[in-house]
Structures are given as structure tokens and as C-alpha cells.
Amino acid sequence: MSLEQAVSAPFATRQLADLGATVIKVEPAGGDFARRYDTVMAGQSANFVWANRGKQSVALDLRADRDRAMLDALIAGADVVVHNMAPDAARRAGIGVDELVASHPSLIACEISGYGRGGPRSDDKAYDLAVQAEAGAFSVTGDASMSKVGFAAADISAGMYALTGILAALVRRERTGQGAAVRVSMLDSLAEWMSAPLYGAV
């Protein structure tokens, strides 16, 4: 089950769906805003269709008691819960990864955020464009003038590391019965992909 919008978490969970998992995508009452990036795929955006194939979807308003009860029931029945809310916002909503694993000890709970938790920017909104700039990706686009990578590199890198962490946690749970809290930040993920160019620049 995933509370997700945009690209990073949807890309991670789409790969779980491709591997045969039943993925229930929980969207806000107005729907995932990525549905409206463009209309090239029969009225929906190319990014949305690409990152959400093979999923089931439900729209919930977490401020409504009935919808919140439905979310809690979905969490209770899930093997894996993923969200890409800011860590502090998730904790306020009662779905921080530590809180989820404390309540459901065998659960794999994964959060994807822009900047991780505990730092001065932990609750900042993150955008692929900004994270590409901050991680230095603009400097390796092959031109004297800096420009962004032509696809959502920060989102996709975070989605890949989330998938890796979830799969590793599932293997560990199979052996030990223990759940896990998996934390991935977009900046850390893309900075890792930039490691070789950064080493070369020193």
C-alpha cells in the first residue's frame, strides 16, 4: 500500500507491481496531481501512466473519520507501506515509519523525502529540478551552460533506492520475522549517483 504522488514513490511501487505485488495506491481526495501534468495518454499524463501501471487506486480524505479508518485497515493488512510525504507531515498524520513499525512489528514501512529527517531542511518540499541542482547533476549535462537532466533523475534515483531497501527488508523479514523502517532521501540518492563526477572534481 502506498500514499503517494508525483514520481518517486509511484516509481518504486510500480516496480513492486511489475514483480507481482498487489499495490493499492492511496491518493488524496483530489487525486494525484501527477495525473494532470499533461493529457497525452488518453487524458492522463505520460508520467502518471508510466509510474502507476498495474496498481489499484483509492482516493481518501485522511481528515474524514471513515476514510481514516479505511486507511488504518489497509495499513493493518499490508506487507509494505510506502509514502513520499515530508517526514514531519507523516508523523503528524500518524504514518511516520517508526510509528508504523512500532504498531505493526512485521511491517516494512518506507518513506521517501526530499532531504531526510533531522536536518534543517527535513520538512522542506522537494522538487526534482531543485534536487538535481543541489546534487550537482546540472554540471554533468555535457554542455558549457548548465541545464537539468532531461528526465526526473532525482525522483527516479530515490525510487530505485526505495525499491532496493524494501526488497532487502522483505528478505530479512522472511528470515527473522522482523519488519523495518526504510528511509530514502532524494538528495542522498542523486548525490550517490553523482559520486564519481564529484570525486573527479576534487
Side-chain angles (χ1 to χ4, degrees), residues 157-177:
S157 64
M160 288 301 300
Y161 284 114
L163 175 68
T164 302
I166 290 165
L167 294 177
L170 286 167
V171 170
R172 189 184 78 156
R173 186 178 70 185
E174 184 68 23
R175 295 175 178 173
T176 68

Side-chain angles (χ1 to χ4, degrees), residues 15-83:
Q15 292 179 88
L16 292 171
D18 286 350
L19 292 170
T22 298
V23 177
I24 300 173
K25 177 186 178 73
V26 177
E27 303 184 45
D32 183 343
F33 61 80
R35 288 179 180 272
R36 298 178 293 278
Y37 282 171
D38 56 59
T39 57
V40 299
M41 299 295 291
Q44 296 191 98
S45 78
N47 263 302
F48 181 84
V49 171
W50 164 71
N52 291 284
R53 68 177 181 232
K55 301 179 188 179
Q56 300 173 30
S57 182
V58 61
L60 297 178
D61 180 353
L62 301 188
R63 295 165 296 185
D65 292 343
R66 182 167 178 247
D67 286 8
R68 180 59 203 227
M70 187 179 298
L71 175 69
D72 291 340
L74 288 170
I75 291 170
D79 289 306
V80 176
V81 172
V82 181
H83 73 74

Side-chain angles (χ1 to χ4, degrees), residues 175-199:
R175 295 175 178 173
T176 68
Q178 296 179 345
V182 177
R183 299 179 186 86
V184 175
S185 90
M186 292 168 62
L187 182 59
D188 287 347
S189 299
L190 192 55
E192 164 61 17
W193 280 13
M194 283 293 299
S195 291
L198 289 170
Y199 289 157

Side-chain angles (χ1 to χ4, degrees), residues 1-3 9 68 75 79-113 116-118 162 165-166 169 172 178-185:
M1 190 217 74
S2 187
L3 292 93
R68 180 59 203 227
I75 291 170
D79 289 306
V80 176
V81 172
V82 181
H83 73 74
N84 61 343
M85 300 169 66
D88 288 343
R91 281 197 297 275
R92 288 193 297 271
I95 54 172
V97 291
D98 292 322
E99 293 84 356
L100 288 175
V101 174
S103 299
H104 308 277
S106 64
L107 182 69
I108 310 302
C110 176
E111 69 180 18
I112 303 173
S113 64
R117 64 166 60 193
I166 290 165
R172 189 184 78 156
Q178 296 179 345
V182 177
R183 299 179 186 86
V184 175
S185 90

